[in-house]
Amino acid sequence: MPQTFEQYIEQNKKIIDEELRRYCQSLRIPNRLKEAMLYSLEAGGKRLRPILLMAGFEAYGKEKSNVLSTAVALEMIHTYSLIHDDLPAMDNDDFRRGKPTNHRVFDEATAILAGDALLTYSFEIIADDPLLTQDQKVEVIKLLSQASGPKGMVAGQMLDMEAENNEISLAELEEIHAQKTGELFAFAITAGAYLGGATPGQLEHLREFAHCLGLIFQVQDDILDVIGDEDKIGKPLGSDVTNDKNTYPKLLSLDGAQNKKQVYKEKANTALEKAGAETSLLMELTDYFSNRDH
């Protein structure tokens, strides 16, 4: 196994990219819809969520091919959320990962349908996975529905939109990001570990680890919007300020955001130790997420 998480990402990103392309290309659907789906799937990104799922599995299991379909489904849901986030009715962004957003390349209606297609196709992929038992399929689909639906990511998106142009507390900001970002991270790590054979107690601690990891990711995202490199981020700096978003630097100052990130890191590492996975690649995640530059 590679010694660093960066090497692990590089190794497994290629696998995920190939699987995403294969699943999408196999669809017999209108060409424009397929083109729009593939455009956003192939627009870049490190595939962190599916790779987290694989790392969660490998902390307890062995044959990672058992989680490939679930990893692909997770990335499709993440990609759908980005397409819809960028729409004029949401964040109204023109660029994503340095490229024009889906609705700018195609049109708004096609972008909406491409997102819808990726969301619904993801569950079909899990249901058809020959390497999972029926019980595993039901459990994974349930967990993914919860993480991405009205009690998870969608709830976080709604809270985020409602908070625009309003003053909110740190606790409210944490709630937004725990749902909008953290729930998919939690699904990735815990679903992977579940398929790898982790115990219910271990899964509970891993969920706490993933919750903190999602907050670390978001704090760093907010920091990069202030002091990051536009070429690496792929969009102009200051978009959070332009959209009057509530962010950690806005609430705590830049130094305060850095300090809060350290608190989350300590909590994450403690939870991982309790899950008995401190010797896995997951231990490197807190530093990797905290120090990323895009």
Side-chain angles (χ1 to χ4, degrees), residues 51-212:
I51 289 172
L52 286 180
L53 191 144
M54 296 165 77
F57 176 84
E58 291 181 27
Y60 301 94
K62 293 182 179 180
E63 183 49 64
K64 65 185 176 186
S65 62
N66 289 3
V67 294
L68 268 181
S69 291
T70 303
V72 166
L74 175 58
E75 185 65 9
M76 285 189 176
I77 285 186
H78 173 56
T79 302
Y80 120 76
S81 74
L82 299 182
I83 293 173
H84 284 194
D85 267 354
D86 291 336
L87 290 169
M90 300 278 280
D91 289 346
N92 195 26
D93 280 327
D94 292 331
F95 292 94
R96 166 74 63 178
R97 296 165 177 162
K99 297 180 180 180
T101 46
N102 196 294
H103 65 278
R104 294 299 182 194
V105 174
F106 297 91
D107 54 66
E108 196 170 338
T110 301
I112 292 171
L113 292 174
D116 292 344
L118 290 168
L119 169 62
T120 49
Y121 186 33
S122 66
F123 294 107
E124 178 185 344
I125 288 171
I126 296 171
D128 283 343
D129 188 348
L131 299 179
L132 300 184
T133 67
Q134 295 302 315
D135 286 346
Q136 287 175 329
K137 291 176 183 180
V138 170
E139 183 67 14
V140 170
I141 288 173
K142 183 187 79 171
L143 292 174
L144 186 53
S145 300
Q146 290 174 338
S148 59
K151 292 186 289 185
M153 181 183 68
V154 173
Q157 290 171 314
M158 188 74 249
L159 292 173
D160 192 27
M161 290 175 62
E162 289 179 337
E164 290 181 16
N165 304 310
N166 294 310
E167 295 292 328
I168 64 171
S169 67
L170 176 61
E172 289 171 322
L173 183 64
E174 287 178 330
E175 181 184 7
I176 289 170
H177 295 310
Q179 293 181 303
K180 184 178 179 181
T181 304
E183 285 297 324
L184 281 190
F185 280 132
F187 168 81
I189 292 170
T190 57
Y194 159 74
L195 293 174
T199 67
Q202 289 170 325
L203 291 175
E204 190 61 34
H205 292 306
L206 284 174
R207 182 167 179 80
E208 174 63 20
F209 166 74
H211 169 75
C212 294

